[in-house]
Amino acid sequence: MDRVSALDESLKKTLGPATAKVMAEQLDLHTVGDLLHHYPRRYEERGQLTRLADLPLDEDVTVVAQVADSRILKFNGGRGQRLEITLTDGSGRLQLVFFGRGIHKPHKDLLPGSRGMFAGKVSMFNRKLQLAHPTYVPLGTDSGDEAVDAFAGRLIPIYPACKGLESWKITKAVDAVLPRATEAVDPLPPSLREGRGFVPLPEALLKIHRPDTKADVAEARDRLKWDEAFVLQVALARRRHADSQLPAVAREPVAGALLDAFDAKLPFTLTDGQLKVTGEIFDDLATEHPMHRLLQGEVGSGKTMVALRAMLTVVDAGGQAAMLAPTEVLAQQHHRSMTEMMGRLAEGGMLGGAETATKVVLLTGSMGAAARRHALLDLVTGEAGIVIGTHALIEDKVRFHDLGLVVVDEQHRFGVEQRDALRSKGKQPPHLLVMTATPIPRTVAMTVFGDLETSVLDQLPAGRSPIATHVVPAQDKPHFLARAWERVREEVGKGHQAYVVCPRIGDGEDEPKKKAAAKAAEADGDRRPPLAVLDIAKQLTAGPLASLRIEVLHGRMQPDDKDDVMRRFAAGEVDVLVATTVIEVGVNVPNATAMVIMDADRFGVSQLHQLRGRVGRGSAPGLCLLVSEMPEASPARARLGAVASTLDGFELSRIDLEQRREGDVLGQAQSGVRSSLRVLAVIEDEDVIAAAREEAVAVVAADPELDAFPELRTALDALLDTEREQYLDKG
């Protein structure tokens, strides 16, 4: 058997179909190699007890603990019996319960003073934490005990487990495949491995699964972190190298044309940050291979202005520019603000349009047939230099005369295929500028967007006001909520406007959403469903904000109705806008100074920061109130406290990432639900990622096809399954 196929062998063959099925469905483990890379989450030492005080409710856990007492209780008039066993570890207590005939074996095995490993789902009964019918392995002291022979004098690995497959069952499965570790292909070039003093990969796998000492664990983790970082960075470096070989039309600035005319009419001075970032973008646009740049910046730092000036440069150079926005509200907002900023310069071919003017068109799915036909004609003839649209831009019917630049706003809202479809509309690959207002720590950008050059705007334009943020504990202190509504009335009294944001629309929501909300409430332990826009708007109109002009805005409204509400709010004809997160991105109403976010604990850190950025956009200071019913000691309140304590989006994104994990850094879902990183932690391992990137760039520059590194190519093939390979090809 060759070295590669040994690890590619199906787990069905090695472990049997039943175990393999659970591993595939629950843990996404299919081959011997997958299981060898399913590393222990932590290790227990014999004699060291798990902290029972920290057990999470409703989660499958594995604990090592001591039996404090054991008793059989009768119920149903003596017809039924149950065994109750109390475990202790000095920090807390946990009750085990067994019923019926299932009580005899544990009653014999688990005597007071004995110890064991126990696994099950933590539930609450009579205000006590309990495991009902847990599986267990006694850790006895008599020499004939198999469990002790297996674990004596060693660190006990605790694996990420699932229902039907406890940690010790995974331990047995790993034991069955561990001899194959000797056949693992080592992806690190020998010179790099020796230069950094790493153990060979087979040795690292043996030490991570069956360490004799904590030093073994540290040595193995150091090596395996490097593998993950290095192979990932090689994939991204190859992607950058391939992009640099593609042809593109250089788009150099033209003196005395549209951009100069636009700059001359600006009523303000660009910040140093905007000028610096613009310089980087202009340098990229002037080269003959496609720009791939990520522009990230704080909410309100002026990214749109930078993007518009890049688009005008491309128009001056004879090309067209397209901006892809995630929602119709945002596309309309961008179109309105850009045409207002450009004035006569956006009226190309029209009466009264400036001599250097171009046409700026909007293309969305809800446009009427006639308007749509006009827009499509303007694009194919080149009459329109700039188009702003939603994914309607991607449709087959849309043709460009000469697409030179694609700007993607709020990158995380778009699937890879959507971005790729728009880029394929150029005669040659167009330049690409990706924008995000969700700040990303440097190493995350380096890992997730390692194929993009990164520009950062961290300076707010002059005249932007500070935003004060406070947590409103509605459950503990109801009078704080009453005061929040008074503050909204005070802001409106000064001639300003306010937003009220809710997590849900309400009323007419379709059945699946109702069920999902009910299910979420149940999972939260009888927590009520999230507050809804339509309900809160009614309560405010009849109660604390009576007599104010209140309107609602949400995603299920007709596009014309949404646009109408937004236009009237921007014109000052609406005092309070009660909305979902549809206002999260890009909505710009400088007169709005206050925002109340209901059920703020149900939003992520980055999302709260985005929402907050809608206020304080004018000369008056902004106020953001985070309303929550969660108790003061809860992690949710700690998260809200973090948001209230800083306006630094980069700091908040670190907090967010530490709580949510990285997501699948190569897969299409970057939600944090499942991480493709097994030992590498993006925030903690910044130095490893930076060093791996340097090494990867050097390897790829010297040998782009990796002809001299067949083992590294094999590792890349394993990392980049079809879906991920496409992701890198298209991203």
Side-chain angles (χ1 to χ4, degrees):
M1 186 181 285
D2 67 58
R3 293 197 301 165
V4 182
S5 61
L7 299 194
D8 284 343
E9 189 175 285
S10 167
L11 287 173
K12 278 184 195 167
K13 199 170 171 185
T14 316
L15 305 176
T19 304
K21 185 170 189 263
V22 179
M23 285 197 167
E25 289 175 1
Q26 303 265 347
L27 299 171
D28 198 22
L29 305 176
H30 304 273
T31 65
V32 168
D34 290 344
L35 182 53
L36 284 174
H37 289 293
H38 185 70
Y39 308 131
R41 196 161 33 99
R42 57 189 171 84
Y43 302 85
E44 288 289 355
E45 289 178 88
R46 300 215 57 235
Q48 172 196 320
L49 297 174
T50 313
R51 279 182 58 80
L52 296 181
D54 300 333
L55 288 180
L57 203 57
D58 286 336
E59 282 193 25
D60 288 295
V61 298
T62 301
V63 299
V64 176
Q66 188 161 14
V67 176
D69 59 58
S70 169
R71 60 200 168 279
I72 293 178
L73 303 170
K74 306 273 187 189
F75 61 93
N76 267 359
R79 289 193 300 277
Q81 51 183 358
R82 79 173 177 272
L83 170 65
E84 285 186 2
I85 294 174
T86 306
L87 302 181
T88 180
D89 69 348
S91 76
R93 294 167 87 79
L94 174 66
Q95 189 166 281
L96 311 181
V97 290
F98 300 87
F99 294 95
R101 292 178 190 164
I103 71 171
H104 303 300
K105 190 171 188 314
H107 189 228
K108 195 172 65 178
D109 290 342
L110 304 173
L111 300 172
S114 66
R115 297 173 60 255
M117 288 176 74
F118 306 87
K121 192 169 196 173
V122 182
S123 59
M124 183 78 81
F125 182 73
N126 279 347
R127 300 194 166 192
K128 289 181 183 172
L129 289 178
Q130 73 166 25
L131 300 182
H133 279 280
T135 47
Y136 63 89
V137 175
L139 299 177
T141 50
D142 39 322
S143 56
D145 191 325
E146 281 179 34
V148 175
D149 289 345
F151 297 123
R154 307 193 74 163
L155 293 166
I156 303 169
I158 306 293
Y159 287 93
C162 62
K163 190 175 178 181
L165 210 59
E166 297 83 8
S167 174
W168 54 80
K169 287 185 183 170
I170 297 174
T171 300
K172 283 184 178 174
V174 169
D175 283 337
V177 301
L178 205 50
R180 306 281 185 85
T182 55
E183 301 173 60
V185 174
D186 199 324
L188 294 191
S191 58
L192 193 161
R193 189 179 73 237
E194 287 154 18
R196 292 186 173 268
F198 290 132
V199 297
L201 179 58
E203 188 181 333
L205 289 171
L206 288 168
K207 284 184 170 176
I208 195 105
H209 288 292
R210 298 295 172 263
D212 290 322
T213 63
K214 287 181 178 175
D216 283 351
V217 177
E219 198 174 29
R221 287 179 72 84
D222 285 350
R223 164 63 214 256
L224 295 167
K225 276 180 185 183
W226 247 90
D227 281 17
E228 286 187 354
F230 179 70
V231 174
L232 178 56
Q233 291 301 337
V234 167
L236 293 168
R238 289 185 78 204
R239 165 79 203 283
R240 284 194 303 276
H241 182 269
D243 282 340
S244 71
Q245 308 305 303
L246 289 173
V249 178
R251 312 282 179 175
E252 297 192 37
V254 176
L258 188 52
L259 178 64
D260 285 352
F262 175 74
D263 285 349
K265 71 189 286 297
L266 278 180
F268 51 82
T269 310
L270 296 172
T271 65
D272 292 344
Q274 284 174 315
L275 291 170
K276 174 178 166 285
V277 167
T278 301
E280 292 169 351
I281 291 169
F282 284 3
D283 287 348
D284 283 357
L285 290 173
T287 61
E288 292 183 350
H289 61 83
M291 167 174 79
H292 284 83
R293 188 166 283 279
L294 172 70
L295 171 58
Q296 57 166 327
E298 282 290 10
V299 174
S301 57
K303 293 182 298 298
T304 309
M305 174 58 70
V306 169
L308 177 56
R309 294 183 74 240
M311 292 196 284
L312 295 175
T313 301
V314 169
V315 174
D316 280 344
Q320 291 168 291
M323 177 182 263
L324 190 57
T327 64
E328 291 207 355
V329 169
L330 188 52
Q332 288 159 347
Q333 177 89 24
H334 276 318
H335 182 255
R336 192 181 303 119
S337 64
M338 285 185 183
T339 49
E340 281 170 8
M341 280 194 284
M342 289 174 67
R344 289 173 58 223
L345 298 173
E347 295 171 2
M350 299 182 208
L351 212 57
E355 191 185 328
T356 52
T358 188
K359 222 181 228 185
V360 180
V361 302
L362 176 70
L363 189 65
T364 66
S366 66
M367 284 170 71
R372 188 179 176 75
R373 247 194 331 271
H374 275 300
L376 292 173
L377 192 62
D378 286 341
L379 289 181
V380 78
T381 59
E383 195 79 8
I386 294 175
V387 58
I388 297 153
T390 55
H391 44 267
L393 280 175
I394 294 163
E395 291 170 11
D396 289 344
K397 287 180 188 171
V398 180
R399 294 275 182 273
F400 289 85
H401 178 66
D402 180 13
L403 181 60
L405 170 66
V406 173
V407 179
V408 178
D409 193 17
E410 285 313 306
Q411 186 275 344
H412 63 281
R413 303 282 190 100
F414 287 98
V416 176
E417 286 80 7
Q418 291 170 311
R419 299 198 297 275
D420 187 50
L422 188 52
R423 280 174 59 195
S424 69
K425 290 182 180 291
K427 290 168 187 168
Q428 284 191 323
H431 298 282
L432 176 69
L433 178 65
V434 165
M435 300 199 297
T436 178
T438 307
I440 304 161
R442 188 178 69 92
T443 42
V444 185
M446 202 187 280
T447 309
V448 182
F449 300 108
D451 55 319
L452 299 172
E453 297 299 325
T454 304
S455 294
V456 176
L457 268 179
D458 50 11
Q459 189 181 4
L460 291 184
R464 286 301 297 266
S465 303
I467 304 168
T469 308
H470 303 284
V471 179
V472 177
Q475 191 77 28
D476 313 343
K477 299 175 180 171
H479 59 287
F480 275 38
L481 183 57
R483 176 69 188 125
W485 301 128
E486 282 174 27
R487 284 292 290 112
V488 170
R489 291 194 84 97
E490 286 165 15
E491 288 301 308
V492 173
K494 292 178 196 167
H496 297 306
Q497 292 157 280
Y499 298 98
V500 176
V501 181
C502 304
R504 207 163 56 90
I505 299 171
D507 262 13
E509 270 171 311
D510 50 26
E511 249 355 88
K513 282 196 181 165
K514 272 190 183 166
K515 281 181 186 162
K519 200 170 177 185
E522 201 179 303
D524 283 344
D526 298 329
R527 201 174 161 197
R528 60 156 174 74
L531 294 172
V533 166
L534 300 177
D535 302 337
I536 292 294
K538 275 183 205 157
Q539 290 169 24
L540 295 176
T541 306
L545 302 185
S547 79
L548 298 188
R549 297 170 298 175
I550 297 174
E551 290 279 0
V552 300
L553 183 71
H554 57 75
R556 271 208 329 274
M557 290 165 64
Q558 288 302 315
D560 288 351
D561 296 340
K562 279 193 277 195
D563 201 33
D564 179 55
V565 169
M566 222 36 250
R567 185 190 53 71
R568 287 190 293 117
F569 187 63
E573 296 165 19
V574 174
D575 298 321
V576 179
L577 188 62
V578 184
T580 57
T581 53
V582 73
I583 57 126
E584 176 188 352
V585 177
V587 172
N588 183 28
V589 180
N591 192 45
T593 54
M595 176 176 284
V596 180
I597 303 178
M598 308 302 291
D599 279 348
D601 49 90
R602 296 184 191 253
F603 298 96
V605 169
S606 297
Q607 201 172 27
L608 290 170
H609 184 58
Q610 284 268 26
L611 287 165
R612 168 171 65 182
R614 301 305 109 213
V615 296
R617 299 177 80 86
S619 53
L623 172 69
C624 180
L625 302 174
L626 308 173
V627 180
S628 172
E629 293 183 0
M630 295 303 281
E632 194 169 356
S634 65
R637 276 283 290 278
R639 207 168 63 231
L640 297 183
V643 175
S645 68
T646 179
L647 289 171
D648 182 342
F650 288 91
E651 179 56 33
L652 286 175
S653 67
R654 290 179 75 95
I655 294 167
D656 198 20
L657 193 74
E658 281 161 2
Q659 290 180 342
R660 292 185 309 119
R661 290 285 285 144
E662 298 79 10
D664 190 336
V665 295
L666 279 185
Q668 295 185 26
Q670 290 161 18
S671 63
V673 174
R674 182 173 171 274
S675 177
S676 68
L677 301 179
R678 299 174 193 278
V679 280
L680 189 71
V682 169
I683 290 288
E684 290 165 30
D685 298 319
E686 295 193 27
D687 296 347
V688 175
I689 291 166
R693 183 178 169 111
E694 270 181 45
E695 296 275 14
V697 167
V699 165
V700 172
D703 182 1
E705 295 304 312
L706 305 180
D707 293 325
F709 306 107
E711 294 85 1
L712 179 54
R713 282 201 67 112
T714 302
L716 271 181
D717 292 341
L719 176 78
L720 304 176
D721 55 32
T722 312
E723 179 188 326
R724 290 174 175 174
E725 183 70 83
Q726 284 171 353
Y727 177 84
L728 283 179
D729 282 348
K730 292 176 180 177

